[in-house]
Coordinates of all heavy atoms in Angstrom, one line a residue:
Q312 N -48.1 -176.4 61.7 CA -46.8 -176.7 62.2 C -46.0 -175.5 62.5 O -46.1 -174.5 61.9 CB -46.1 -177.4 61.0 CG -44.7 -178.0 61.4 CD -44.9 -179.3 62.1 OE1 -45.7 -180.0 61.9 NE2 -44.0 -179.5 63.1
L313 N -45.2 -175.5 63.6 CA -44.5 -174.3 64.0 C -43.1 -174.3 63.6 O -42.4 -175.4 63.7 CB -44.4 -174.3 65.6 CG -45.7 -173.8 66.4 CD1 -45.5 -173.9 67.8 CD2 -46.2 -172.5 65.9
F314 N -42.6 -173.3 63.0 CA -41.3 -173.0 62.7 C -40.6 -172.2 63.7 O -41.1 -171.1 64.0 CB -41.2 -172.2 61.3 CG -41.5 -173.0 60.1 CD1 -42.9 -173.2 59.8 CD2 -40.7 -173.5 59.3 CE1 -43.3 -173.9 58.7 CE2 -41.0 -174.2 58.2 CZ -42.4 -174.4 57.8
E315 N -39.6 -172.8 64.5 CA -38.8 -172.1 65.5 C -37.5 -172.4 65.5 O -37.0 -173.4 64.9 CB -39.6 -172.3 66.8 CG -39.8 -173.7 67.2 CD -40.6 -173.8 68.5 OE1 -40.4 -173.1 69.5 OE2 -41.5 -174.7 68.5
K316 N -36.6 -171.6 66.3 CA -35.2 -171.9 66.4 C -35.0 -173.2 67.1 O -35.6 -173.6 68.0 CB -34.6 -170.6 67.0 CG -33.0 -170.7 67.1 CD -32.5 -169.4 67.6 CE -31.0 -169.4 67.8 NZ -30.3 -169.9 66.7
D317 N -33.9 -173.9 66.6 CA -33.3 -175.1 67.2 C -34.4 -176.2 67.1 O -34.4 -177.1 68.0 CB -32.9 -174.8 68.7 CG -31.8 -173.8 68.7 OD1 -31.0 -173.7 67.8 OD2 -31.7 -173.2 69.8
T318 N -35.0 -176.2 66.0 CA -36.0 -177.4 65.8 C -35.7 -177.8 64.3 O -34.9 -177.2 63.6 CB -37.4 -177.0 65.9 OG1 -37.7 -176.1 64.8 CG2 -37.8 -176.6 67.2
L319 N -36.4 -178.9 63.9 CA -36.1 -179.4 62.4 C -36.6 -178.3 61.5 O -36.2 -178.2 60.4 CB -36.8 -180.6 62.2 CG -36.2 -181.9 62.9 CD1 -37.2 -183.1 62.6 CD2 -34.8 -182.1 62.4
L320 N -37.7 -177.5 61.9 CA -38.2 -176.5 61.1 C -37.6 -175.1 61.5 O -38.4 -174.1 61.7 CB -39.7 -176.5 61.2 CG -40.4 -177.8 60.8 CD1 -41.9 -177.7 61.0 CD2 -40.1 -177.9 59.3
D321 N -36.4 -175.0 61.6 CA -35.7 -173.7 62.0 C -35.7 -172.8 60.8 O -35.3 -173.0 59.7 CB -34.2 -174.1 62.4 CG -33.5 -172.9 63.0 OD1 -34.1 -171.9 63.2 OD2 -32.3 -173.1 63.4
P322 N -36.3 -171.5 61.0 CA -36.3 -170.6 59.9 C -34.9 -170.0 59.6 O -34.1 -169.9 60.4 CB -37.2 -169.5 60.4 CG -37.3 -169.6 61.8 CD -37.0 -171.0 62.2
H323 N -34.6 -169.9 58.4 CA -33.3 -169.5 58.0 C -33.4 -167.9 57.9 O -34.1 -167.3 57.3 CB -33.0 -170.1 56.5 CG -31.6 -169.6 56.0 ND1 -30.5 -169.9 56.5 CD2 -31.3 -168.8 55.0 CE1 -29.5 -169.4 55.8 NE2 -30.0 -168.6 54.9
V324 N -32.4 -167.3 58.6 CA -32.3 -165.9 58.6 C -31.3 -165.4 57.5 O -30.2 -165.8 57.6 CB -31.8 -165.3 60.0 CG1 -31.7 -163.9 60.0 CG2 -32.7 -165.8 61.1
I325 N -32.0 -164.8 56.5 CA -31.1 -164.3 55.4 C -30.3 -163.1 55.8 O -29.1 -163.0 55.4 CB -32.0 -163.9 54.2 CG1 -32.9 -165.1 53.7 CG2 -31.3 -163.3 53.0 CD1 -33.9 -165.0 52.7
S326 N -30.9 -162.1 56.4 CA -30.1 -160.9 56.9 C -30.8 -160.4 58.2 O -32.0 -160.7 58.4 CB -30.2 -159.7 55.8 OG -31.6 -159.3 55.6
N327 N -30.1 -159.8 59.0 CA -30.5 -159.3 60.2 C -29.8 -158.0 60.6 O -28.6 -158.0 60.9 CB -30.2 -160.3 61.4 CG -30.7 -159.9 62.8 OD1 -31.5 -158.8 62.8 ND2 -30.4 -160.5 63.8
E328 N -30.5 -156.8 60.3 CA -30.0 -155.5 60.7 C -30.4 -155.0 62.0 O -30.0 -154.0 62.5 CB -30.5 -154.5 59.6 CG -30.1 -154.7 58.2 CD -30.7 -153.8 57.2 OE1 -31.7 -153.1 57.7 OE2 -30.2 -153.8 56.1
Q329 N -31.2 -155.8 62.7 CA -31.9 -155.5 64.0 C -30.9 -155.2 65.1 O -31.2 -154.6 66.1 CB -32.9 -156.5 64.4 CG -33.9 -156.7 63.3 CD -34.7 -155.5 62.9 OE1 -34.9 -154.5 63.8 NE2 -35.4 -155.5 61.8
E330 N -29.6 -155.6 64.9 CA -28.8 -155.5 66.0 C -28.1 -154.1 66.1 O -27.4 -153.7 67.0 CB -27.6 -156.6 66.0 CG -27.0 -156.6 64.7 CD -26.1 -157.9 64.5 OE1 -26.6 -158.9 64.9 OE2 -25.1 -157.8 64.0
I331 N -28.5 -153.1 65.2 CA -28.0 -151.8 65.1 C -29.1 -150.9 65.7 O -30.2 -151.0 65.2 CB -27.7 -151.5 63.6 CG1 -26.8 -152.4 63.0 CG2 -27.2 -150.0 63.6 CD1 -26.7 -152.3 61.5
L332 N -28.7 -150.1 66.7 CA -29.7 -149.3 67.4 C -29.6 -147.9 66.9 O -28.6 -147.2 67.2 CB -29.6 -149.3 68.9 CG -30.4 -150.3 69.6 CD1 -30.0 -150.4 71.1 CD2 -31.9 -149.9 69.5
H333 N -30.5 -147.3 66.1 CA -30.5 -146.1 65.7 C -31.9 -145.6 65.1 O -32.7 -146.6 64.9 CB -29.4 -145.5 64.9 CG -29.1 -146.4 63.7 ND1 -30.0 -146.5 62.5 CD2 -28.1 -147.2 63.4 CE1 -29.5 -147.3 61.7 NE2 -28.3 -147.8 62.2
G334 N -32.2 -144.5 64.8 CA -33.5 -144.0 64.3 C -33.9 -144.3 62.9 O -34.7 -143.6 62.3
R335 N -33.5 -145.4 62.2 CA -33.8 -145.6 60.9 C -34.5 -147.1 60.8 O -34.4 -147.8 61.7 CB -32.7 -145.5 59.8 CG -31.7 -146.6 59.9 CD -30.5 -146.4 59.0 NE -29.6 -147.5 58.9 CZ -29.7 -148.5 58.2 NH1 -30.6 -148.7 57.3 NH2 -28.7 -149.5 58.3
W336 N -35.2 -147.2 59.7 CA -35.8 -148.6 59.5 C -34.8 -149.7 59.3 O -33.9 -149.5 58.6 CB -36.8 -148.5 58.3 CG -38.0 -147.9 58.5 CD1 -38.3 -146.5 58.3 CD2 -39.2 -148.4 59.0 NE1 -39.6 -146.2 58.6 CE2 -40.2 -147.4 59.1 CE3 -39.6 -149.7 59.6 CZ2 -41.4 -147.6 59.6 CZ3 -40.8 -149.8 60.0 CH2 -41.7 -148.8 60.1
L337 N -34.9 -150.7 60.1 CA -34.1 -152.0 60.0 C -35.0 -153.1 59.7 O -36.2 -153.1 60.0 CB -33.3 -152.1 61.3 CG -32.5 -150.9 61.8 CD1 -31.9 -151.1 63.2 CD2 -31.4 -150.7 60.8
Q338 N -34.3 -154.2 59.2 CA -35.1 -155.4 58.9 C -34.4 -156.7 59.2 O -33.1 -156.7 59.2 CB -35.6 -155.3 57.4 CG -34.5 -155.5 56.5 CD -35.0 -155.3 55.0 OE1 -36.1 -154.9 54.8 NE2 -34.2 -155.8 54.1
T339 N -35.2 -157.8 59.3 CA -34.8 -159.1 59.4 C -35.5 -159.9 58.4 O -36.8 -159.9 58.3 CB -35.0 -159.6 60.8 OG1 -34.2 -158.9 61.7 CG2 -34.4 -161.1 60.9
Q340 N -34.7 -160.6 57.5 CA -35.4 -161.3 56.5 C -35.4 -162.9 56.9 O -34.2 -163.3 57.1 CB -34.8 -161.2 55.1 CG -35.0 -159.8 54.6 CD -34.3 -159.6 53.3 OE1 -33.1 -159.7 53.2 NE2 -35.1 -159.2 52.2
F341 N -36.5 -163.6 56.8 CA -36.5 -165.0 57.0 C -36.7 -165.7 55.7 O -37.7 -165.3 54.9 CB -37.6 -165.4 58.0 CG -37.3 -164.8 59.3 CD1 -37.8 -163.6 59.7 CD2 -36.6 -165.6 60.4 CE1 -37.7 -163.0 61.0 CE2 -36.4 -165.0 61.5 CZ -36.9 -163.8 62.0
L342 N -36.3 -166.9 55.5 CA -36.6 -167.8 54.4 C -37.0 -169.1 55.0 O -36.3 -169.8 55.7 CB -35.5 -167.9 53.4 CG -35.7 -168.8 52.2 CD1 -36.8 -168.2 51.3 CD2 -34.5 -169.0 51.4
F343 N -38.2 -169.6 54.5 CA -38.6 -170.9 54.9 C -38.8 -171.8 53.7 O -39.3 -171.5 52.7 CB -40.1 -170.7 55.5 CG -40.2 -169.8 56.7 CD1 -40.4 -168.5 56.4 CD2 -40.1 -170.2 57.9 CE1 -40.5 -167.6 57.5 CE2 -40.2 -169.4 59.0 CZ -40.4 -168.0 58.7
S344 N -38.1 -173.0 53.8 CA -38.0 -174.0 52.7 C -38.3 -175.3 53.3 O -37.9 -175.7 54.4 CB -36.5 -174.0 52.2 OG -36.3 -172.7 51.6
T345 N -39.1 -176.0 52.6 CA -39.6 -177.4 53.1 C -39.9 -178.3 52.0 O -40.3 -177.8 50.9 CB -40.8 -177.2 54.1 OG1 -41.1 -178.5 54.5 CG2 -41.9 -176.6 53.4
Q346 N -39.7 -179.6 52.1 CA -40.1 -180.6 51.3 C -41.5 -181.0 51.4 O -42.0 -182.0 50.7 CB -39.1 -181.7 51.1 CG -37.8 -181.2 50.7 CD -36.8 -182.4 50.5 OE1 -37.0 -183.5 51.0 NE2 -35.6 -182.1 49.9
D347 N -42.2 -180.6 52.4 CA -43.6 -180.8 52.7 C -44.4 -179.5 52.3 O -44.4 -178.6 53.2 CB -43.8 -181.3 54.1 CG -45.3 -181.6 54.4 OD1 -46.1 -181.5 53.4 OD2 -45.6 -182.0 55.5
S348 N -44.9 -179.4 51.1 CA -45.5 -178.1 50.7 C -46.7 -177.8 51.5 O -47.1 -176.6 51.5 CB -45.8 -178.2 49.2 OG -46.8 -179.2 49.0

Side-chain angles (χ1 to χ4, degrees):
Q312 186 77 37
L313 285 180
F314 289 79
E315 57 187 310
K316 188 168 174 53
D317 298 330
T318 66
L319 290 175
L320 298 174
D321 192 356
H323 178 70
V324 178
I325 297 173
S326 69
N327 183 11
E328 298 175 345
Q329 304 297 338
E330 53 197 40
I331 306 167
L332 263 173
H333 49 70
R335 70 179 181 92
W336 282 96
L337 301 172
Q338 68 183 17
T339 300
Q340 293 178 302
F341 295 91
L342 179 65
F343 303 88
S344 297
T345 179
Q346 292 186 347
D347 182 357
S348 63

